[in-house]
PDB file of all heavy atoms in Angstrom:
ATOM      1  N   VAL S 135      10.302  17.942  -7.447  1.00 97.00           N
ATOM      2  CA  VAL S 135       9.070  18.633  -7.814  1.00 97.00           C
ATOM      3  C   VAL S 135       8.611  18.056  -9.139  1.00 97.00           C
ATOM      4  O   VAL S 135       9.341  18.069 -10.130  1.00 97.00           O
ATOM      5  CB  VAL S 135       9.281  20.154  -7.937  1.00 97.00           C
ATOM      6  CG1 VAL S 135       7.992  20.821  -8.431  1.00 97.00           C
ATOM      7  CG2 VAL S 135       9.694  20.750  -6.598  1.00 97.00           C
ATOM      8  N   ILE S 136       7.404  17.511  -9.158  1.00 97.00           N
ATOM      9  CA  ILE S 136       6.831  16.911 -10.355  1.00 97.00           C
ATOM     10  C   ILE S 136       5.757  17.844 -10.886  1.00 97.00           C
ATOM     11  O   ILE S 136       4.791  18.164 -10.181  1.00 97.00           O
ATOM     12  CB  ILE S 136       6.205  15.534 -10.034  1.00 97.00           C
ATOM     13  CG1 ILE S 136       7.268  14.602  -9.430  1.00 97.00           C
ATOM     14  CG2 ILE S 136       5.582  14.923 -11.276  1.00 97.00           C
ATOM     15  CD1 ILE S 136       6.674  13.362  -8.777  1.00 97.00           C
ATOM     16  N   VAL S 137       5.932  18.321 -12.115  1.00 97.00           N
ATOM     17  CA  VAL S 137       4.952  19.203 -12.738  1.00 97.00           C
ATOM     18  C   VAL S 137       3.899  18.339 -13.422  1.00 97.00           C
ATOM     19  O   VAL S 137       4.182  17.660 -14.412  1.00 97.00           O
ATOM     20  CB  VAL S 137       5.629  20.145 -13.762  1.00 97.00           C
ATOM     21  CG1 VAL S 137       4.581  20.981 -14.500  1.00 97.00           C
ATOM     22  CG2 VAL S 137       6.629  21.057 -13.055  1.00 97.00           C
ATOM     23  N   LEU S 138       2.690  18.335 -12.886  1.00 97.00           N
ATOM     24  CA  LEU S 138       1.616  17.536 -13.473  1.00 97.00           C
ATOM     25  C   LEU S 138       1.107  18.188 -14.751  1.00 97.00           C
ATOM     26  O   LEU S 138       1.168  19.414 -14.912  1.00 97.00           O
ATOM     27  CB  LEU S 138       0.474  17.377 -12.469  1.00 97.00           C
ATOM     28  CG  LEU S 138       0.828  16.647 -11.173  1.00 97.00           C
ATOM     29  CD1 LEU S 138      -0.392  16.564 -10.259  1.00 97.00           C
ATOM     30  CD2 LEU S 138       1.358  15.243 -11.454  1.00 97.00           C
ATOM     31  N   SER S 139       0.587  17.374 -15.663  1.00 96.00           N
ATOM     32  CA  SER S 139       0.113  17.903 -16.953  1.00 96.00           C
ATOM     33  C   SER S 139      -1.166  18.701 -16.809  1.00 96.00           C
ATOM     34  O   SER S 139      -1.482  19.544 -17.659  1.00 96.00           O
ATOM     35  CB  SER S 139      -0.095  16.762 -17.950  1.00 96.00           C
ATOM     36  OG  SER S 139      -1.016  15.811 -17.441  1.00 96.00           O
ATOM     37  N   GLY S 140      -1.922  18.459 -15.740  1.00 95.00           N
ATOM     38  CA  GLY S 140      -3.106  19.262 -15.483  1.00 95.00           C
ATOM     39  C   GLY S 140      -4.179  19.110 -16.536  1.00 95.00           C
ATOM     40  O   GLY S 140      -4.508  18.015 -16.972  1.00 95.00           O
ATOM     41  N   ALA S 141      -4.717  20.243 -17.001  1.00 93.00           N
ATOM     42  CA  ALA S 141      -5.882  20.244 -17.888  1.00 93.00           C
ATOM     43  C   ALA S 141      -5.529  20.189 -19.361  1.00 93.00           C
ATOM     44  O   ALA S 141      -6.409  20.335 -20.208  1.00 93.00           O
ATOM     45  CB  ALA S 141      -6.723  21.487 -17.611  1.00 93.00           C
ATOM     46  N   VAL S 142      -4.254  19.984 -19.697  1.00 95.00           N
ATOM     47  CA  VAL S 142      -3.844  20.020 -21.102  1.00 95.00           C
ATOM     48  C   VAL S 142      -3.159  18.716 -21.484  1.00 95.00           C
ATOM     49  O   VAL S 142      -2.687  17.971 -20.625  1.00 95.00           O
ATOM     50  CB  VAL S 142      -2.906  21.227 -21.361  1.00 95.00           C
ATOM     51  CG1 VAL S 142      -1.560  21.024 -20.696  1.00 95.00           C
ATOM     52  CG2 VAL S 142      -2.780  21.538 -22.838  1.00 95.00           C
ATOM     53  N   ALA S 143      -3.111  18.433 -22.788  1.00 95.00           N
ATOM     54  CA  ALA S 143      -2.453  17.227 -23.301  1.00 95.00           C
ATOM     55  C   ALA S 143      -1.227  17.615 -24.115  1.00 95.00           C
ATOM     56  O   ALA S 143      -1.047  18.778 -24.489  1.00 95.00           O
ATOM     57  CB  ALA S 143      -3.427  16.422 -24.167  1.00 95.00           C
ATOM     58  N   GLY S 144      -0.378  16.634 -24.372  1.00 96.00           N
ATOM     59  CA  GLY S 144       0.750  16.838 -25.271  1.00 96.00           C
ATOM     60  C   GLY S 144       2.018  17.362 -24.641  1.00 96.00           C
ATOM     61  O   GLY S 144       2.957  17.740 -25.359  1.00 96.00           O
ATOM     62  N   MET S 145       2.110  17.354 -23.299  1.00 97.00           N
ATOM     63  CA  MET S 145       3.299  17.904 -22.667  1.00 97.00           C
ATOM     64  C   MET S 145       4.536  17.049 -22.914  1.00 97.00           C
ATOM     65  O   MET S 145       5.661  17.564 -22.939  1.00 97.00           O
ATOM     66  CB  MET S 145       3.077  18.083 -21.157  1.00 97.00           C
ATOM     67  CG  MET S 145       2.028  19.142 -20.813  1.00 97.00           C
ATOM     68  SD  MET S 145       2.436  20.797 -21.466  1.00 97.00           S
ATOM     69  CE  MET S 145       1.552  20.805 -23.019  1.00 97.00           C
ATOM     70  N   ASP S 146       4.352  15.743 -23.113  1.00 96.00           N
ATOM     71  CA  ASP S 146       5.493  14.893 -23.432  1.00 96.00           C
ATOM     72  C   ASP S 146       6.063  15.264 -24.799  1.00 96.00           C
ATOM     73  O   ASP S 146       7.281  15.353 -24.987  1.00 96.00           O
ATOM     74  CB  ASP S 146       5.095  13.420 -23.394  1.00 96.00           C
ATOM     75  CG  ASP S 146       3.876  13.105 -24.254  1.00 96.00           C
ATOM     76  OD1 ASP S 146       3.187  14.042 -24.692  1.00 96.00           O
ATOM     77  OD2 ASP S 146       3.608  11.907 -24.482  1.00 96.00           O
ATOM     78  N   GLY S 147       5.181  15.514 -25.762  1.00 97.00           N
ATOM     79  CA  GLY S 147       5.633  15.915 -27.094  1.00 97.00           C
ATOM     80  C   GLY S 147       6.274  17.281 -27.099  1.00 97.00           C
ATOM     81  O   GLY S 147       7.273  17.512 -27.798  1.00 97.00           O
ATOM     82  N   LEU S 148       5.730  18.207 -26.312  1.00 98.00           N
ATOM     83  CA  LEU S 148       6.305  19.548 -26.228  1.00 98.00           C
ATOM     84  C   LEU S 148       7.707  19.499 -25.636  1.00 98.00           C
ATOM     85  O   LEU S 148       8.636  20.133 -26.153  1.00 98.00           O
ATOM     86  CB  LEU S 148       5.402  20.451 -25.392  1.00 98.00           C
ATOM     87  CG  LEU S 148       5.892  21.867 -25.123  1.00 98.00           C
ATOM     88  CD1 LEU S 148       6.158  22.626 -26.422  1.00 98.00           C
ATOM     89  CD2 LEU S 148       4.887  22.624 -24.247  1.00 98.00           C
ATOM     90  N   ALA S 149       7.869  18.746 -24.554  1.00 98.00           N
ATOM     91  CA  ALA S 149       9.187  18.631 -23.923  1.00 98.00           C
ATOM     92  C   ALA S 149      10.193  17.977 -24.867  1.00 98.00           C
ATOM     93  O   ALA S 149      11.364  18.367 -24.899  1.00 98.00           O
ATOM     94  CB  ALA S 149       9.075  17.837 -22.624  1.00 98.00           C
ATOM     95  N   SER S 150       9.725  17.006 -25.644  1.00 98.00           N
ATOM     96  CA  SER S 150      10.613  16.359 -26.613  1.00 98.00           C
ATOM     97  C   SER S 150      11.014  17.336 -27.705  1.00 98.00           C
ATOM     98  O   SER S 150      12.182  17.405 -28.111  1.00 98.00           O
ATOM     99  CB  SER S 150       9.920  15.136 -27.235  1.00 98.00           C
ATOM    100  OG  SER S 150       9.643  14.161 -26.258  1.00 98.00           O
ATOM    101  N   ALA S 151      10.051  18.119 -28.199  1.00 98.00           N
ATOM    102  CA  ALA S 151      10.327  19.089 -29.257  1.00 98.00           C
ATOM    103  C   ALA S 151      11.324  20.143 -28.796  1.00 98.00           C
ATOM    104  O   ALA S 151      12.141  20.636 -29.583  1.00 98.00           O
ATOM    105  CB  ALA S 151       9.029  19.750 -29.700  1.00 98.00           C
TER     106      ALA S 151
END
Side-chain angles (χ1 to χ4, degrees):
V135 176
I136 302 166
V137 175
L138 298 180
S139 58
V142 70
M145 294 301 94
D146 53 347
L148 176 58
S150 297

